């Protein structure tokens, strides 16, 4: 059974049950109401007739003289009027001829008569033993003073219960007809409503199947702000996130493949070189003073390069995996810049490069940073600047305030510069502008990637400006 059919069956079932309960309850209420109204009406009729008897307009001792009047009154009111003497003898009955009253049973012990005698008013519903029809009876006792003493007469009014039942049946028919009509209307409305409810659910199910099968661009139209609209929006968001995740995973897979390829390539070169030099030495060159030292120095150089590459690989792996812990403290930025410059000064002096530090107004400023990691950033930037600056050039390390809460650190050189098409990728792992020269000067291709990660871990961003033949400027900011 489809969802729509289940919803429709549920709606109709609940509606039929509700209508049935309502109809039964209403019928019971109406029947009780009609009974009360009939009793109330009979009570009023009894009181009206007893008032005529009490006032003498219908004297109990001469009812036969008023036979036609009493019978017309009974017919007009659709009532049965009975007058009963105090000893139970029936004096008059509008449904029985006068000459037949002699065979009518004594009514003294009829329930309504006994009730009127004990409480002044009696009501009873039963089948008449005289006319064999069900009646609702109401009776009252009238005591009238006469010259011969007190005279007691019971006035009884009865209405055929078939009249009340007929009215009750008419009302029942109306109630059940309304109920059936309500079921039909509600079934029609439920059908339309279930279609409106199930259509978006079916669309959601279809979209979910498509997403499960890999169609992550599939989206569900959101036309409402109710729970179904919220569900559709959530599935759309989930599909978007899954799509982004898959794109990211593919990107990571591509980066991983490139990284493994780059690592393999970078490791292969020094390993093959070491292997070649060592094989040459083992083949006899170790005993040749003309080449053995040269080969050993070259092997040592490649071993050093291999060691630096492995150290950088370990470092960037620790950074990207989150294993590298930062220890942030407030520290004087000028002191660190001067300390790093002093350490790098001998390397700059070998190329006759003038290395200066300019901290300006930041002489006493403190920045919030990890001292060792920030020192690593500065060493990498200065090492690159020295490698790519020609003999006789200059490098300037400077610090400037940026607003009220930051310090900008800059390393500027007069080196070869970086072509514009490479500026957006120089912070990628193993990316080299000039691969041959980079290997000649001993770069691993990971230094700037490490710099970028450390600066970002400090909440900053590193950027570069460069003009080919005039030099480069690397800049980043730190909180103070």
């Amino acid at each position: 059974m489809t969802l729509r059919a289940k919803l429709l069956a549920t709606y109709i079932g609940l509606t039929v049950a509700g209508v049935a309960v309502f109809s039964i309850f209403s019928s019971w209420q109406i029947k009780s109401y009609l009974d009360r109204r009939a009793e109330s009406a009979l009570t009023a009729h009894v009181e009206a007739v007893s008032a005529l008897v009490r006032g003498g307009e219908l004297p109990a001792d001469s009812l036969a003289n008023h036979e036609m009047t009493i019978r017309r009154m009974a017919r007009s009111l659709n009532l049965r009027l009975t007058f009963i003497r105090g000893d139970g003898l029936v004096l008059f009955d509008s449904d029985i001829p006068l000459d037949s009253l002699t065979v009518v049973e004594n009514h003294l012990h009829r329930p309504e008569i006994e009730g009127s005698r004990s409480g002044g008013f009696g009501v009873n519903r039963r089948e008449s033993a005289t006319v064999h029809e069900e009646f609702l009876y109401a009776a009252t006792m009238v005591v009238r003073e006469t010259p011969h003493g007190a005279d007691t007469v019971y006035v009884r009014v009865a209405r055929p219960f078939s009249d009340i039942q007929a009215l009750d049946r008419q009302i029942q028919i109306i109630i059940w007809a309304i109920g059936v009509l309500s079921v039909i209307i509600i079934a029609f409305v439920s059908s339309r409503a279930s279609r409106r409810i199930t259509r978006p659910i079916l669309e959601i199910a279809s979209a979910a199947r498509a997403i499960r099968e890999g169609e992550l661009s599939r989206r569900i139209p959101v036309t409402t702000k109710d729970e179904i609209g919220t569900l559709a929006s959530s599935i759309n968001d989930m599909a978007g996130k899954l799509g982004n995740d898959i794109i990211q995973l593919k990107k990571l897979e591509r980066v991983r493949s490139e990284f493994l390829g780059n690592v393999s390539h970078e490791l292969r070169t020094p390993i093959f070189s070491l292997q070649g030099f060592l094989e040459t030495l083992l083949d006899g060159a170790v005993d040749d003073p003309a080449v053995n030292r040269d080969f050993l120095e070259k092997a040592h150089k490649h071993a050093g390069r291999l060691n630096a590459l492995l150290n950088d690989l370990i470092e960037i792996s620790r950074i990207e995996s989150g294993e590298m812990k930062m220890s942030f403290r407030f520290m004087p930025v000028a002191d660190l810049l001067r300390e790093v410059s002093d350490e790098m000064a001998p390397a700059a002096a070998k190329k006759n490069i003038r290395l200066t530090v300019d901290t300006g107004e930041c002489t006493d400023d403190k920045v919030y940073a990890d001292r060792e990691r920030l020192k690593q950033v500065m060493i990498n930037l200065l090492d690159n600047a020295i490698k790519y600056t020609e003999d006789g050039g200059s490098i300037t390390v400077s610090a400037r305030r940026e607003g009220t809460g930051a310090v900008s650190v800059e390393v500027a050189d007069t080196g070869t510069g970086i072509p514009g098409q490479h500026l957006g990728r120089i912070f990628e792992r193993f990316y080299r502008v000039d691969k041959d020269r980079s290997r000649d000067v001993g770069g691993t291709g990971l230094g700037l990637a490490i710099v970028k990660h450390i600066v970002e871990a400090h909440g900053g961003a590193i950027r570069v400006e460069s003009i080919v033949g005039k030099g480069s400027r690397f800049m980043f900011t730190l909180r103070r």
Side-chain angles (χ1 to χ4, degrees):
M1 182 182 288
T2 63
L3 177 61
R4 180 169 174 248
K6 290 180 180 178
L7 286 174
L8 191 58
T10 301
Y11 289 153
I12 293 176
L14 291 175
T15 300
V16 170
V19 168
V21 170
F22 172 77
S23 299
I24 293 170
F25 180 74
S26 300
S27 299
W28 176 76
Q29 287 284 80
I30 290 172
K31 187 177 183 303
S32 299
Y33 172 76
L34 290 176
D35 288 346
R36 290 194 301 271
R37 285 296 303 271
E39 290 181 8
S40 177
L42 284 182
T43 302
H45 291 315
V46 166
E47 290 179 349
V49 175
S50 64
L52 293 176
V53 174
R54 193 178 293 109
E57 286 84 354
L58 289 176
D61 54 356
S62 59
L63 291 172
N65 298 331
H66 299 83
E67 177 185 4
M68 297 307 296
T69 301
I70 296 173
R71 293 188 189 280
R72 281 197 302 270
M73 181 173 63
R75 282 195 301 272
S76 64
L77 296 175
N78 193 27
L79 298 174
R80 178 184 175 189
L81 294 176
T82 306
F83 296 89
I84 303 165
R85 203 168 62 186
D87 58 1
L89 180 68
V90 176
L91 299 174
F92 186 91
D93 192 304
S94 62
D95 284 5
I96 302 175
L98 290 176
D99 55 5
S100 299
L101 292 176
T102 56
V103 298
V104 175
E105 293 181 1
N106 189 285
H107 280 35
L108 186 63
H109 297 295
R110 294 286 195 271
E112 65 275 9
I113 300 303
E114 290 184 346
S116 66
R117 187 166 57 248
S118 62
F121 189 83
V123 177
N124 184 243
R125 172 186 167 182
R126 58 184 169 78
E127 182 178 317
S128 171
T130 305
V131 298
H132 304 292
E133 184 179 350
E134 190 173 18
F135 282 89
L136 178 63
Y137 295 95
T140 188
M141 183 175 65
V142 178
V143 180
R144 185 168 175 268
E145 295 294 333
T146 67
H148 306 289
D151 188 14
T152 300
V153 177
Y154 296 101
V155 178
R156 188 182 72 177
V157 175
R159 168 164 286 172
F161 207 77
S162 59
D163 294 348
I164 301 172
Q165 288 177 325
L167 179 60
D168 182 48
R169 282 194 297 271
Q170 290 177 359
I171 295 175
Q172 298 285 351
I173 291 171
I174 293 172
I175 290 175
W176 284 101
I178 293 174
V180 172
L181 182 62
S182 299
V183 169
I184 294 172
I185 293 173
I186 292 175
F188 174 75
V189 173
S190 298
S191 176
R192 299 292 298 272
S194 65
R195 185 180 295 111
R196 291 187 60 187
I197 292 173
T198 55
R199 185 187 298 116
I201 292 176
L202 293 175
E203 289 178 356
I204 290 172
S206 175
R209 283 194 297 271
I211 292 169
R212 182 189 62 191
E213 293 169 1
E215 192 180 333
L216 298 179
S217 60
R218 178 75 173 271
R219 294 294 182 270
I220 304 167
V222 180
T223 57
T224 62
K225 295 183 178 180
D226 56 10
E227 291 81 357
I228 292 178
T230 302
L231 176 60
S233 297
S234 299
I235 292 178
N236 287 341
D237 292 343
M238 180 188 69
K241 289 178 180 178
L242 283 174
N244 291 335
D245 289 344
I246 289 176
I247 291 171
Q248 187 65 22
L249 286 173
K250 289 181 178 178
K251 181 180 178 181
L252 289 174
E253 179 63 23
R254 185 176 65 254
V255 170
R256 187 183 70 86
S257 298
E258 291 177 356
F259 178 69
L260 289 176
N262 289 329
V263 169
S264 299
H265 179 72
E266 295 294 333
L267 290 174
R268 188 180 296 115
T269 301
I271 289 174
F272 283 177
S273 297
L274 278 169
Q275 187 178 9
F277 292 133
L278 293 174
E279 286 178 354
T280 302
L281 290 171
L282 290 173
D283 287 342
V286 69
D287 298 322
D288 185 352
V291 296
N292 58 6
R293 186 172 183 82
D294 180 53
F295 276 29
L296 287 173
E297 287 177 352
K298 288 179 178 179
H300 181 266
K301 176 183 177 183
H302 283 288
R305 181 184 169 199
L306 183 60
N307 182 62
L309 178 59
L310 290 174
N311 286 336
D312 281 352
L313 283 173
I314 293 171
E315 189 74 7
I316 200 166
S317 176
R318 291 179 62 220
I319 293 172
E320 291 182 347
S321 65
E323 292 182 9
M324 185 185 73
K325 304 300 181 184
M326 295 284 188
S327 178
F328 291 97
R329 299 286 188 276
F330 281 101
M331 47 162 286
V333 64
D335 291 352
L336 178 67
L337 298 184
R338 282 191 288 268
E339 177 185 334
V340 175
S341 297
D342 289 344
E343 290 184 13
M344 300 300 293
K350 287 182 180 180
K351 297 180 67 175
N352 196 27
I353 295 173
R354 183 166 56 88
L355 177 58
T356 58
V357 178
D358 178 13
T359 56
E361 60 184 356
C362 298
T363 302
D364 299 321
D365 287 352
K366 293 183 178 181
V367 294
Y368 191 64
D370 182 311
R371 192 178 193 284
E372 293 304 316
R373 296 303 170 188
L374 184 56
K375 183 177 180 180
Q376 185 178 0
V377 168
M378 295 305 300
I379 289 174
N380 277 339
L381 292 177
L382 281 172
D383 183 56
N384 279 350
I386 293 170
K387 286 175 181 177
Y388 295 101
T389 299
E390 300 297 338
D391 292 1
S394 65
I395 299 173
T396 302
V397 178
S398 61
R400 295 287 182 271
R401 287 180 183 172
E402 290 282 341
T404 58
V407 169
S408 174
V409 178
E410 178 181 303
V411 176
D413 62 57
T414 59
T416 57
I418 305 168
Q421 68 269 26
H422 298 288
L423 291 177
R425 300 192 61 187
I426 62 171
F427 295 103
E428 295 178 12
R429 294 173 298 186
F430 297 115
Y431 187 82
R432 290 186 173 92
V433 176
D434 186 341
K435 295 181 180 180
D436 293 334
R437 183 177 180 187
S438 178
R439 291 193 177 94
D440 289 340
V441 297
T444 64
L446 293 173
L448 289 180
I450 293 173
V451 166
K452 178 176 179 289
H453 280 298
I454 294 175
V455 170
E456 288 177 349
H458 281 74
I462 189 165
R463 55 195 179 89
V464 60
E465 296 177 358
S466 184
I467 301 175
V468 176
K470 292 188 177 182
S472 304
R473 297 170 60 224
F474 287 84
M475 300 152 283
F476 62 91
T477 55
L478 297 168
R479 282 193 296 154
R480 69 182 181 90

